[in-house]
Coordinates of all heavy atoms in Angstrom, one line a residue:
G1 N 0.8 -1.2 0.0 CA 0.0 0.0 0.0 C 0.8 1.3 0.0 O 0.3 2.4 -0.2
R2 N 2.1 1.2 0.3 CA 3.0 2.3 0.3 C 4.0 2.3 -0.9 O 4.3 3.3 -1.4 CB 3.7 2.5 1.6 CG 2.8 2.6 2.8 CD 3.7 3.0 4.1 NE 4.7 2.0 4.4 CZ 6.0 2.3 4.6 NH1 6.4 3.5 4.4 NH2 6.8 1.3 4.9
F3 N 4.5 1.1 -1.2 CA 5.5 1.0 -2.2 C 5.0 0.3 -3.4 O 4.1 -0.6 -3.3 CB 6.7 0.1 -1.7 CG 7.5 0.7 -0.6 CD1 7.2 1.9 0.0 CD2 8.7 0.1 -0.2 CE1 7.9 2.5 1.0 CE2 9.5 0.7 0.8 CZ 9.1 1.9 1.4
T4 N 5.5 0.7 -4.6 CA 5.1 0.0 -5.8 C 6.3 -0.3 -6.7 O 7.1 0.6 -7.0 CB 4.2 1.0 -6.6 OG1 3.0 1.3 -5.9 CG2 3.7 0.3 -7.9
I5 N 6.4 -1.6 -7.0 CA 7.5 -2.0 -7.9 C 7.0 -2.1 -9.3 O 5.9 -2.5 -9.6 CB 8.1 -3.4 -7.4 CG1 9.4 -3.7 -8.1 CG2 7.0 -4.5 -7.5 CD1 10.1 -4.9 -7.6
S6 N 7.9 -1.7 -10.2 CA 7.5 -1.7 -11.6 C 8.8 -1.9 -12.5 O 9.9 -1.8 -11.9 CB 6.8 -0.5 -12.1 OG 7.6 0.7 -11.9
R7 N 8.6 -2.1 -13.7 CA 9.8 -2.2 -14.6 C 9.4 -1.8 -16.0 O 8.2 -1.9 -16.4 CB 10.3 -3.7 -14.6 CG 9.4 -4.7 -15.2 CD 9.9 -6.1 -14.9 NE 11.1 -6.4 -15.5 CZ 11.9 -7.4 -15.2 NH1 11.6 -8.2 -14.2 NH2 13.0 -7.6 -15.9
D8 N 10.4 -1.4 -16.8 CA 10.3 -1.1 -18.2 C 11.4 -1.9 -18.9 O 12.5 -1.4 -19.0 CB 10.4 0.4 -18.4 CG 10.1 0.8 -19.9 OD1 10.2 -0.1 -20.7 OD2 9.8 2.0 -20.1
N9 N 11.0 -3.0 -19.5 CA 12.0 -3.9 -20.1 C 12.6 -3.2 -21.4 O 13.8 -3.5 -21.7 CB 11.4 -5.2 -20.4 CG 11.2 -6.1 -19.2 OD1 11.8 -5.9 -18.2 ND2 10.3 -7.1 -19.3
A10 N 11.8 -2.4 -22.0 CA 12.4 -1.7 -23.2 C 13.5 -0.7 -22.8 O 14.4 -0.5 -23.6 CB 11.3 -0.9 -23.9
K11 N 13.5 -0.2 -21.6 CA 14.5 0.7 -21.1 C 15.5 -0.1 -20.2 O 16.4 0.6 -19.6 CB 13.9 1.8 -20.3 CG 13.0 2.7 -21.2 CD 12.5 3.9 -20.4 CE 11.6 4.8 -21.2 NZ 11.1 6.0 -20.5
N12 N 15.3 -1.4 -20.0 CA 16.2 -2.1 -19.1 C 16.3 -1.5 -17.7 O 17.4 -1.4 -17.1 CB 17.6 -2.2 -19.7 CG 17.8 -3.5 -20.5 OD1 16.8 -4.1 -20.9 ND2 19.0 -3.8 -20.9
T13 N 15.1 -1.1 -17.2 CA 15.1 -0.3 -15.9 C 14.0 -0.8 -15.0 O 12.9 -1.1 -15.5 CB 15.0 1.2 -16.2 OG1 16.0 1.6 -17.0 CG2 15.0 1.9 -14.8
G14 N 14.3 -0.9 -13.8 CA 13.3 -1.2 -12.8 C 13.1 -0.1 -11.8 O 14.0 0.8 -11.7
Y15 N 12.0 0.0 -11.2 CA 11.6 1.1 -10.3 C 11.0 0.7 -9.0 O 10.4 -0.4 -8.9 CB 10.6 2.0 -11.0 CG 11.1 2.5 -12.4 CD1 10.6 1.8 -13.5 CD2 11.9 3.6 -12.5 CE1 11.0 2.2 -14.8 CE2 12.3 4.0 -13.8 CZ 11.9 3.3 -14.9 OH 12.3 3.7 -16.1
L16 N 11.2 1.5 -8.0 CA 10.5 1.3 -6.7 C 10.0 2.7 -6.3 O 10.8 3.6 -5.9 CB 11.4 0.8 -5.7 CG 10.7 0.5 -4.3 CD1 9.8 -0.7 -4.5 CD2 11.8 0.1 -3.2
Q17 N 8.7 2.9 -6.4 CA 8.0 4.1 -6.0 C 7.7 3.9 -4.5 O 7.0 3.0 -4.1 CB 6.8 4.4 -6.8 CG 6.0 5.6 -6.3 CD 6.7 6.9 -6.5 OE1 7.2 7.1 -7.6 NE2 6.7 7.7 -5.5
M18 N 8.2 4.8 -3.7 CA 8.0 4.8 -2.2 C 7.2 6.0 -1.8 O 7.7 7.1 -1.9 CB 9.3 4.7 -1.5 CG 10.2 3.5 -2.0 SD 11.7 3.3 -1.0 CE 12.5 4.9 -1.4
N19 N 6.0 5.8 -1.2 CA 5.2 6.8 -0.7 C 5.0 6.7 0.8 O 5.2 5.6 1.4 CB 3.8 6.8 -1.4 CG 3.9 7.0 -2.9 OD1 4.8 7.7 -3.4 ND2 3.0 6.4 -3.6
S20 N 4.5 7.8 1.4 CA 4.2 7.7 2.9 C 5.4 7.2 3.7 O 5.3 6.3 4.5 CB 3.0 6.9 3.2 OG 1.9 7.4 2.5
L21 N 6.6 7.7 3.3 CA 7.8 7.2 4.0 C 7.8 7.5 5.4 O 7.3 8.5 5.9 CB 9.0 7.8 3.3 CG 9.3 7.1 1.9 CD1 10.3 8.0 1.1 CD2 9.9 5.7 2.1
K22 N 8.4 6.5 6.2 CA 8.5 6.6 7.6 C 10.0 6.6 8.0 O 10.8 6.0 7.2 CB 7.8 5.4 8.3 CG 6.4 5.2 7.8 CD 5.8 3.9 8.4 CE 4.4 3.7 8.0 NZ 3.8 2.4 8.5
P23 N 10.4 7.1 9.2 CA 11.8 7.1 9.6 C 12.3 5.6 9.6 O 13.5 5.4 9.3 CB 11.7 7.6 11.0 CG 10.6 8.6 10.9 CD 9.6 7.9 10.1
E24 N 11.5 4.7 9.9 CA 12.0 3.3 9.9 C 12.2 2.7 8.5 O 12.7 1.6 8.4 CB 11.0 2.4 10.6 CG 9.5 2.5 10.2 CD 8.7 3.4 11.0 OE1 9.3 4.5 11.4 OE2 7.6 3.1 11.3
D25 N 11.9 3.5 7.5 CA 12.3 3.1 6.1 C 13.7 3.4 5.8 O 14.2 3.1 4.7 CB 11.3 3.7 5.1 CG 9.9 3.2 5.2 OD1 9.7 2.0 5.4 OD2 9.0 4.0 5.1

């Protein structure tokens, strides 16, 4: 619910979108 993993194989790139970050992250 806070993080989203994705990838774009055409760009050879992966992503991690991190929202609502907490100090423990």
Side-chain angles (χ1 to χ4, degrees):
R2 299 191 301 126
F3 291 9
T4 302
I5 189 171
S6 61
R7 64 191 296 162
D8 185 340
N9 287 340
K11 295 182 179 180
N12 270 13
T13 303
Y15 305 97
L16 183 68
Q17 176 69 47
M18 306 186 294
N19 298 328
S20 302
L21 284 162
K22 305 174 182 179
E24 51 264 43
D25 293 318

